[in-house]
Amino acid sequence: MISSPLWYLFALASLAAFITLVEQKSKLKIFKFIPAVVMIYIFSMTLASLGFFEQNEAIDAIYENTKKNLLPAMLFLMLLQIDFMDFFKLGKSLLIAYLLAVLSLAFSFMLISFVFDFNKEMASAFGALSGSWMGGVANMIAVGSALNVSQEAFGYALIVDSVNYTIWIMFLLFLTPFAHYFNNFTSSQEQMAKLSSIGCSCTIGAKRYWFLILLSILVAFVVNLIAQSGFALLNYTTTTVVLATLFGVLGSFTRLKSINGSSEVATTMLYMLIALIGSKALFENFSGVGIYVFAGFCILLTHALVMVIGAKIFKLDLFSIAIASLSNIGGVASASILAATYNKALVGVGVLMAIMGYLVGTFGGLAVGKIMIWMVGY
């Protein structure tokens, strides 16, 4: 069992490096179906669930500090590659996908509430959960407080959020290599052609790696310093992400955009973040909350079916519906990571859509929660 925070980071970095190396050198066919990013997540989660990493204050602290610095650093480097004029080509489909995600989640919560015949406690708990799945944990707390959710029910909602989110992000990451087949099904190849045209045109060069690492660390330090000073946009994570996004956007209009190696450094940070998140995805004893977890999976299944039907009708590509879904259910960090697995230049899309979720999550969650509680009496 690893109890040292430094050995904890070293183990995760080694895991990510080893899997990436195997993918690049072995040419195993399994990586065509399960990409390295999913492998890293699965193995990291498995090691954590087997007790390989000790759950202590030192490891928790290094996890939080690493994640809060690595995420803005990665976002900054990835956003340097963006030509924002390309976003105007994608606006309509992404907006339709986002609205479809919000409405399908609201419909799914109310439908499952009716099918499972929720009592008032379950209805209020899932009302709080809908706040999280339309925005984030901050919205969940706000909606839960407004609906007077009991501590026990709120705890169950947190467990459902953790378990279902863990499976959902892994599932969406797993689908990445199959985007071509889905886009053929929805006749959205033209949309994917626009997506694939966005990216960094610079050549690879190792001489600039250290400069990019130092620059990204400096950006992470500055955005965290600003967030700690009392300046806040919804919450701490959103503040750092928005500021890092802003710096990345500004940098993309300068000569920084052409620096060689930003994609490789950002990808390395992405894989480390995946390993970090996986190391905290523990499957513990969920006795007593089975019905909550099962209902949560039914909500996600209904949501997925509506999204696929909507994608077929509106000819939406897999990236658009996947990022729209996870920007609601997962939030800023996971949406940007998923976007990066499709195209590193599209991180900004994930960030912007997740921020939209923070803005509507509280109101949407309250509306859904109130409707589900009203349905209890009928």
Side-chain angles (χ1 to χ4, degrees), residues 87-271:
F87 285 139
F88 293 105
K89 305 173 186 177
L90 309 172
K92 182 179 178 181
S93 64
L94 289 170
L95 182 59
I96 292 174
Y98 179 78
L99 291 174
L100 184 64
V102 173
L103 294 176
S104 64
L105 281 168
F107 169 76
S108 300
F109 270 95
M110 290 183 282
L111 176 64
I112 298 304
S113 173
F114 174 77
V115 171
F116 279 71
D117 193 21
F118 283 179
N119 56 32
K120 186 175 182 180
E121 182 181 55
M122 286 189 72
S124 61
F126 274 86
L129 181 63
S130 70
S132 177
W133 285 4
M134 291 182 182
V137 176
N139 304 95
M140 183 180 187
I141 296 172
V143 174
S145 300
L147 296 178
N148 296 315
V149 180
S150 67
Q151 289 186 349
E152 182 181 6
F154 191 79
Y156 286 174
L158 282 172
I159 293 174
V160 175
D161 188 26
S162 176
V163 174
N164 287 269
Y165 161 73
T166 297
I167 299 298
W168 193 240
I169 186 175
M170 187 165 62
F171 175 68
L172 292 180
L173 287 169
F174 174 79
L175 288 179
T176 305
F178 303 98
H180 175 72
Y181 301 102
F182 183 88
N183 298 335
N184 285 336
F185 168 70
T186 59
S187 303
S188 59
Q189 298 92 333
E190 182 180 349
Q191 179 66 18
M192 280 307 297
K194 296 177 183 178
L195 289 174
S196 61
S197 68
I198 299 176
C200 181
S201 59
C202 56
T203 57
I204 299 173
K207 292 182 179 179
R208 301 297 181 97
Y209 285 172
W210 282 110
F211 173 75
L212 290 166
I213 292 172
L214 291 174
L215 183 62
S216 63
I217 290 174
L218 177 62
V219 169
F221 173 78
V222 170
V223 299
N224 278 286
L225 187 65
I226 295 174
Q228 291 170 359
S229 68
F231 176 78
L233 297 170
L234 301 179
N235 56 49
Y236 188 98
T237 301
T238 304
T239 302
T240 58
V241 166
V242 169
L243 291 175
T245 301
L246 177 61
F247 284 130
V249 170
L250 294 176
S252 70
F253 290 99
T254 70
R255 295 179 63 183
L256 292 174
K257 180 179 180 179
S258 61
I259 294 179
N260 299 333
S262 59
S263 176
E264 289 70 38
V265 177
T267 300
T268 302
M269 294 178 174
L270 168 67
Y271 285 173

Side-chain angles (χ1 to χ4, degrees), residues 64-74 216-217 220-221 224:
E64 292 295 336
N65 286 328
T66 303
K67 185 179 176 183
K68 79 176 184 180
N69 285 284
L70 203 58
L71 179 59
M74 180 202 70
S216 63
I217 290 174
F221 173 78
N224 278 286

Side-chain angles (χ1 to χ4, degrees), residues 220-366:
F221 173 78
V222 170
V223 299
N224 278 286
L225 187 65
I226 295 174
Q228 291 170 359
S229 68
F231 176 78
L233 297 170
L234 301 179
N235 56 49
Y236 188 98
T237 301
T238 304
T239 302
T240 58
V241 166
V242 169
L243 291 175
T245 301
L246 177 61
F247 284 130
V249 170
L250 294 176
S252 70
F253 290 99
T254 70
R255 295 179 63 183
L256 292 174
K257 180 179 180 179
S258 61
I259 294 179
N260 299 333
S262 59
S263 176
E264 289 70 38
V265 177
T267 300
T268 302
M269 294 178 174
L270 168 67
Y271 285 173
M272 186 63 189
L273 276 169
I274 287 289
L276 279 168
I277 295 173
S279 72
K280 291 296 180 180
L282 301 175
F283 289 97
E284 299 174 349
N285 182 16
F286 297 109
S287 119
V289 296
I291 186 64
Y292 283 79
V293 174
F294 181 64
F297 279 122
C298 290
I299 290 171
L300 289 179
L301 178 61
T302 306
H303 162 65
L305 290 174
V306 175
M307 292 294 283
V308 170
I309 294 171
K312 180 65 175 178
I313 295 173
F314 296 106
K315 297 183 178 180
L316 302 177
D317 58 276
L318 183 60
F319 167 80
S320 295
I321 64 169
I323 203 66
S325 174
L326 197 60
S327 66
N328 282 274
I329 296 172
V332 172
S334 54
S336 59
I337 288 171
L338 179 63
T341 63
Y342 280 87
N343 190 317
K344 298 178 184 65
L346 293 173
V347 169
V349 173
V351 172
L352 292 173
M353 294 182 78
I355 290 174
M356 288 175 61
Y358 280 134
L359 297 176
V360 304
T362 299
F363 302 104
L366 278 172

